[in-house]
Amino acid sequence: MPQSEIPLEGDAAPLSVVSEERVALGVALQARADEVGRMVDRQFSESLRGEAFATARLATELIGRWLATDQAASTEEEERLARQGEQAILVDAELASVAKAYFAWRDCTNVVIAEEGARLQTSDELLTLAGNVVRFSCDGSLVRIVRQFDGTRRALQQRLKEEQANLAHRALHDELTGLPNRTLLTDRLRQSAFAAERKGTKSMLLFLDLDNFKAINDRFGHPAGDCLLEVVASRLQELVRGADTVARLGGDEFVVLAEDLDDPVAAAQALAERIHQSMRAPIPIGERQLHTSVSIGIAPVLADTDPEVCLAQADAAMYQAKRGGPARFESFNEVIGKDNRRRSQLADELRLAHQANQLSVHYQPLFKLGGDMVGMEALLRWHHPELGTVPPLEFIPLLEQSREIVPIGRWVLQEATRQCRLWQDEGRTDLTISVNVSARQLQDPEFCDDVVHALIQSRLEPSSLALEVTETVLVMDIVRIGEMMQRIRDLGVHIALDDFGTGYSSLLYLHGLPIDRLKVDRSFVAGLGSSERDATIIATVVDLAHKLGLQVVAEGVETEAELRAVVDMGCDEAQGFLLGRPGPAHLFSAGLRVLTG
Ligand code: C2E
Ligand code: MG
Ligand code: MG
């Protein structure tokens, strides 16, 4: 065999000695090869990160095979060949074809194998890697390089192995907490349902959602939120047995799968109690001590339940628990199931409700105590063709979840300001309109523009408009929402704090926010006849509010006795069924004309 040829195919005479001439060719190719080498490194690191993982593995196998066929095993032999500027390599048929393709790819048509080169269809990455192999094989100082390259190969293989394990782990675990993710949990749930069927074991699922995660994230930033999630994750892990699974589904949602329980209902409830207990300890984050709590929903893992159904049941129970207030737990039952089905039906149908003209705005009058009607509150209504009137407390949270509250709230604002201006034009020039707004609207950077736009379009004075914000909204995101409130207040629009007394904040904490008016929640007014405590609360609130320069409105006045009581306590205004129920605008248009004579 002529020395200038590398044996390309077959197993005949596998050992070839690289000649001076071949080395010269190698050197000529070096510049290009270096460029290719850099490309290889880049592509390799990209392919490790990305989807081209399989290609990289294939390439290392190829390299591995090449190195494995290197016959120059003894050091003396290697040294002897190196001294001669020669190197022995055994090139197998497959590597030879790849090498051919590489040369073709690099347009090295003058290379011996050029004429056969273009046939092989291989990816660019693989060819580049194979090219690198060939580059080494063309180099006179091959011995040392082979050794270096062998090291590189091992490092590459190690990295590939780690990456592979990492990918497998990442596919099944949550990155932040390291807990199993939804995929792994679903698998364990399936196994658990299977074990229930085969061996009659009993397992329970606990669905957890933090009660104030959004507030913590908004107030203290995402790193604090992440730390909180990590602490919650480790506290949960400490509470369960080794065989149980604690998973994170994403956001602030965690799931505990407690398996093989003797008395499953009692055990799950006891675990829920222990979870509440463990969350009570403050969580140190930086300089701060944060407090959190969770809402928990419990569902059984039955023999024939699909994991998704089981999760949905526990989730529905959690939702029910949350509706009762923070730090509660609830077990799934048929009523919750029905409730949940209705909620998802409503959520689906709500999407089309606005287009289908099923939404309207009703109005409820507001009176100055001992005086005249001073304003109207706009209240959104949904008239469902089959279900009848759906209460706002049921559908507004759904609008908030889907963020549809932003466009629909904008429409309510336009509708209400237009109607108020109409009433003013009919003669009640001092009539004001109150519009309820949700947190999502106040967090929308364009909300202030929406208000301006509604005022311009309706030609209503800013001072004739009041926005009602619930106290819980402020607890959620006081900085951003406070800024938005200030921008709105600067327009001359009034701001009322709605349902006061139902949230967690004190009046002093709210001082400094641009609020003009407090609406005391109707649960306090309803308790006036029977509860000394509620009477004291209202009296204290009225007193403090007045000192802070705020007006006080009593909500939900239903009886003469309640009316007298709120007058006695010094409330400024009142609203309630006794004074006027909410109704469509046309009802009041007639009434207003009578009032204005
Ligand atoms: P809210 O702003 O506190 O409105 C007062 C609620 O109390 C209204 O319920 C009203 O019908 C009811 N109410 C008034 N007087 C009495 C009374 O004497 N007794 C009793 N038992 N209830 C009385 P509604 O219309 O069901 O609205 C519930 C809540 O839905 C509202 O509470 C408000 O937070 C929210 N909401 C209504 N419309 C909108 C809207 O357009 N946007 C937003 N974001 N929320 C709205
Ligand atoms: Mg209101
Ligand atoms: Mg209210």
Side-chain angles (χ1 to χ4, degrees):
M1 181 168 44
Q3 285 231 320
S4 61
E5 277 184 20
I6 299 177
L8 294 173
E9 258 149 67
D11 11 72
L15 191 70
S16 160
V17 175
V18 181
S19 68
E20 295 285 341
E21 193 188 343
R22 197 88 191 113
V23 170
L25 176 63
V27 172
L29 282 169
Q30 192 67 52
R32 276 181 155 182
D34 279 342
E35 184 195 320
V36 173
R38 278 193 295 278
M39 207 157 82
V40 171
D41 287 343
R42 208 171 48 241
Q43 281 172 344
F44 226 117
S45 55
E46 273 164 21
S47 67
L48 281 173
R49 254 182 275 122
E51 307 265 319
F53 191 49
T55 310
R57 196 168 51 224
L58 193 61
T60 42
E61 269 167 22
L62 185 75
I63 295 162
R65 225 175 14 251
W66 173 66
L67 286 168
T69 56
D70 185 352
Q71 296 287 291
S74 89
T75 317
E76 291 92 320
E77 175 77 342
E78 280 176 1
E79 279 175 1
R80 188 182 61 74
L81 289 166
R83 265 196 307 278
Q84 293 166 7
E86 290 173 349
Q87 173 59 42
I89 21 165
L90 190 99
V91 184
D92 71 10
E94 202 174 333
L95 179 63
S97 0
V98 174
K100 274 190 277 177
Y102 166 70
F103 283 118
W105 179 58
R106 303 300 301 167
D107 281 329
C108 295
T109 42
N110 57 342
V111 181
V112 218
I113 47 179
E115 70 276 13
E116 290 175 32
R119 267 190 239 139
L120 201 78
Q121 291 297 311
T122 316
S123 73
D124 283 357
E125 284 91 342
L126 185 57
L127 285 182
T128 314
L129 276 165
N132 213 23
V133 171
V134 174
R135 171 165 75 101
F136 283 110
S137 72
C138 292
D139 193 313
S141 57
L142 193 69
V143 176
R144 219 162 302 127
I145 289 173
V146 164
R147 288 220 158 138
Q148 275 174 14
F149 192 64
D150 201 32
T152 312
R153 175 177 70 95
R154 271 200 296 276
L156 279 173
Q157 280 180 333
Q158 187 56 30
R159 266 173 67 189
L160 281 170
K161 228 160 89 189
E162 281 164 13
E163 195 65 19
Q164 219 171 358
N166 197 359
L167 280 178
H169 189 266
R170 273 217 310 258
L172 297 175
H173 292 82
D174 166 51
E175 207 170 321
L176 177 69
T177 59
L179 292 178
N181 64 9
R182 183 183 273 269
T183 313
L184 185 53
L185 173 75
T186 307
D187 188 55
R188 301 237 170 115
L189 264 174
R190 200 170 284 123
Q191 282 173 22
S192 199
F194 187 58
E197 193 175 312
R198 253 191 12 189
K199 296 189 264 170
T201 55
K202 297 183 183 91
S203 305
M204 299 293 278
L205 192 68
L206 283 78
F207 196 110
L208 284 72
D209 187 284
L210 299 197
D211 293 323
N212 58 348
F213 184 63
K214 194 171 170 343
I216 287 180
N217 247 348
D218 288 340
R219 252 200 240 174
F220 306 114
H222 288 264
D226 284 354
C227 283
L228 180 84
L229 292 173
E230 286 175 275
V231 172
V232 169
S234 71
R235 284 190 189 174
L236 289 175
Q237 273 176 308
E238 279 165 23
L239 285 176
V240 301
R241 296 176 305 178
D244 298 342
T245 302
V246 179
R248 179 175 172 227
L249 298 191
D252 59 347
E253 290 178 346
F254 293 88
V255 166
V256 178
L257 171 61
E259 303 203 73
D260 216 354
L261 304 166
D262 289 335
D263 184 355
V265 174
Q269 293 184 348
L271 178 57
E273 297 278 11
R274 287 205 303 278
I275 294 174
H276 283 323
Q277 180 68 34
S278 93
M279 295 301 154
R280 256 173 235 144
I283 298 178
I285 287 172
E287 312 262 279
R288 291 196 169 83
Q289 298 284 331
L290 299 185
H291 291 267
T292 193
S293 64
V294 290
S295 296
I296 306 174
I298 303 172
V301 185
L302 302 175
D304 50 356
T305 20
D306 180 78
E308 285 307 317
V309 171
C310 195
L311 274 167
Q313 290 182 344
D315 186 14
M318 186 281 294
Y319 186 84
Q320 184 67 23
K322 201 169 271 258
R323 285 214 295 202
R328 286 169 190 253
F329 71 83
E330 195 73 59
S331 298
F332 180 79
N333 57 44
E334 244 335 287
V335 178
I336 294 178
K338 233 171 101 189
D339 219 56
N340 193 41
R341 283 192 292 280
R342 177 175 157 103
R343 218 175 34 250
S344 45
Q345 182 200 352
L346 289 182
D348 276 352
E349 295 179 348
L350 197 50
R351 276 186 223 121
L352 300 170
H354 190 35
Q355 278 173 14
N357 280 327
Q358 292 167 5
L359 298 183
S360 64
V361 181
H362 279 196
Y363 298 89
Q364 185 181 27
L366 255 137
F367 289 84
K368 183 145 223 79
L369 283 173
D372 207 354
M373 185 177 86
V374 285
M376 288 285 197
E377 177 173 0
L379 295 162
L380 186 57
R381 292 288 176 265
W382 179 16
H383 310 277
H384 188 284
E386 284 129 40
L387 302 171
T389 303
V390 183
L393 289 179
E394 199 173 353
F395 74 84
I396 285 177
L398 299 176
L399 285 178
E400 285 168 347
Q401 269 164 29
S402 68
R403 297 184 184 266
E404 274 293 292
I405 193 70
V406 172
I408 289 177
R410 186 182 300 133
W411 171 76
V412 173
L413 194 61
Q414 288 165 358
E415 198 53 28
T417 47
R418 186 190 59 79
Q419 184 58 55
C420 181
R421 177 65 205 214
L422 218 73
W423 280 325
Q424 288 183 347
D425 290 346
E426 282 175 7
R428 283 303 298 243
T429 46
D430 51 355
L431 191 85
T432 62
I433 185 82
S434 298
V435 178
N436 293 287
V437 292
S438 295
R440 290 245 184 275
Q441 288 172 275
L442 290 164
Q443 285 167 326
D444 177 23
E446 273 152 37
F447 181 66
C448 194
D449 296 344
D450 291 345
V451 174
V452 172
H453 186 72
L455 290 171
I456 293 173
Q457 231 181 7
S458 61
R459 296 181 296 112
L460 193 73
E461 286 297 322
S463 59
S464 301
L465 174 66
L467 299 183
E468 296 194 0
V469 177
T470 60
E471 190 189 0
T472 39
V473 155
L474 296 174
V475 181
M476 272 173 75
D477 189 359
I478 200 158
V479 176
R480 193 141 57 112
I481 288 180
E483 278 167 16
M484 180 56 85
M485 282 166 69
Q486 189 59 57
R487 283 174 63 195
I488 289 163
R489 189 68 196 83
D490 291 345
L491 298 172
V493 171
H494 297 284
I495 295 180
L497 195 59
D498 208 351
D499 305 341
F500 185 74
T502 54
Y504 312 94
S505 51
S506 82
L507 195 48
L508 287 172
Y509 167 68
L510 299 172
H511 182 52
L513 284 169
I515 297 166
D516 309 275
R517 204 187 279 174
L518 271 193
K519 297 185 79 173
V520 178
D521 191 66
R522 73 163 185 266
S523 53
F524 293 101
V525 175
L528 275 182
S530 55
S531 158
E532 273 287 307
R533 203 175 141 262
D534 284 349
T536 317
I537 290 175
I538 299 193
T540 316
V541 166
V542 174
D543 191 44
L544 189 56
H546 283 162
K547 287 201 176 102
L548 296 171
L550 307 175
Q551 298 268 298
V552 181
V553 186
E555 292 191 278
V557 176
E558 292 182 354
T559 65
E560 293 286 350
E562 285 166 3
L563 184 62
R564 268 195 306 277
V566 297
V567 170
D568 287 349
M569 278 163 202
C571 289
D572 305 283
E573 291 170 12
Q575 187 182 7
F577 291 170
L578 178 75
L579 306 162
R581 284 180 178 264
H586 66 84
L587 282 188
F588 297 104
S589 297
L592 286 173
R593 264 196 295 278
V594 175
L595 282 170
T596 50

